[in-house]
């Protein structure tokens, strides 16, 4: 009986700890992969396309909203931009939570756990931000001091 209680206690403690280790490792891997993808994207194209280059943006980002947002770029009204990746809890890897990572037109990295929803639907619905400052404030983006 004593042995069974010890085993049960170890399982009760061990399974959540194991899950937390798995989750933290998965988040770190996602951030590393996302930042590598963004870095490769910026080597190919140092900035997003202009508003008159809708065909190029559609081809590169797969989907656009009013020529200011694709699945990989967000362009603010003042001309500043973000190259980004977004992971939504609803997209299959629920254990990651909501993740957003981006590099802006000044070379600064940001992250957020704001729930943008699938394909950043919330941002698309709210419309083009005026500036990076507005985006950062509205979506709880936090500056990362070094590349993730």
């Amino acid at each position: 009986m004593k042995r069974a209680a010890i085993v049960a206690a170890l399982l009760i403690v061990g399974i959540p700890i194991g899950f937390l280790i798995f989750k933290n490792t998965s988040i770190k891997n996602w951030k590393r992969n996302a930042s590598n993808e963004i870095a490769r994207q910026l080597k190919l194209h140092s900035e997003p396309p202009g508003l008159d280059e809708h065909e190029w943006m559609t081809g590169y980002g797969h989907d656009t909203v009013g020529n200011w947002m694709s699945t990989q770029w967000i362009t603010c009204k003042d001309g500043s931009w973000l190259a980004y990746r977004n992971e939504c809890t609803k997209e299959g890897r629920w254990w990651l939570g909501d993740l957003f990572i981006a590099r802006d037109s000044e070379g600064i990295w940001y992250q957020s756990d704001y729930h943008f929803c699938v394909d950043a639907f919330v941002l698309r619905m709210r419309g083009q931000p005026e500036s990076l400052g507005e985006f950062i404030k509205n979506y709880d983006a936090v500056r990362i001091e070094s590349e993730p």
Side-chain angles (χ1 to χ4, degrees), residues 49-59 64-67:
L51 296 178
D52 59 339
E53 298 170 317
H54 178 72
E55 289 180 23
W56 181 89
M57 194 170 185
T58 302
T64 62
V65 176
N67 286 357

Side-chain angles (χ1 to χ4, degrees), residues 14-88:
I15 291 173
I17 289 173
F19 176 74
L20 289 175
I21 291 169
F22 168 75
K23 180 179 178 175
N24 288 339
T25 302
S26 297
I27 290 170
K28 285 179 188 176
N29 288 338
W30 183 90
K31 286 180 180 180
R32 184 179 57 247
N33 291 337
S35 65
N36 287 339
E37 287 176 13
I38 290 168
R40 280 193 300 275
Q41 171 184 340
L42 291 172
K43 282 183 184 176
L44 292 172
H45 307 284
S46 60
E47 61 183 45
L51 296 178
D52 59 339
E53 298 170 317
H54 178 72
E55 289 180 23
W56 181 89
M57 194 170 185
T58 302
Y60 188 71
H62 309 297
D63 184 25
T64 62
V65 176
N67 286 357
W68 65 270
M69 182 182 176
S70 74
T71 57
Q72 299 175 347
W73 298 100
I74 298 166
T75 304
C76 300
K77 289 181 182 178
D78 69 358
S80 57
W81 51 263
L82 294 159
Y84 79 98
R85 296 296 182 277
N86 181 56
E87 179 75 27
C88 173

Side-chain angles (χ1 to χ4, degrees), residues 102-116:
R103 184 171 163 212
D104 74 8
S105 47
E106 301 297 319
I108 299 169
W109 287 91
Y110 295 93
Q111 67 182 16
S112 177
D113 59 2
Y114 187 90
H115 180 73
F116 288 96

Side-chain angles (χ1 to χ4, degrees), residues 13 27 70 91 125:
V13 172
I27 290 170
S70 74
E91 291 183 295
M125 186 176 62

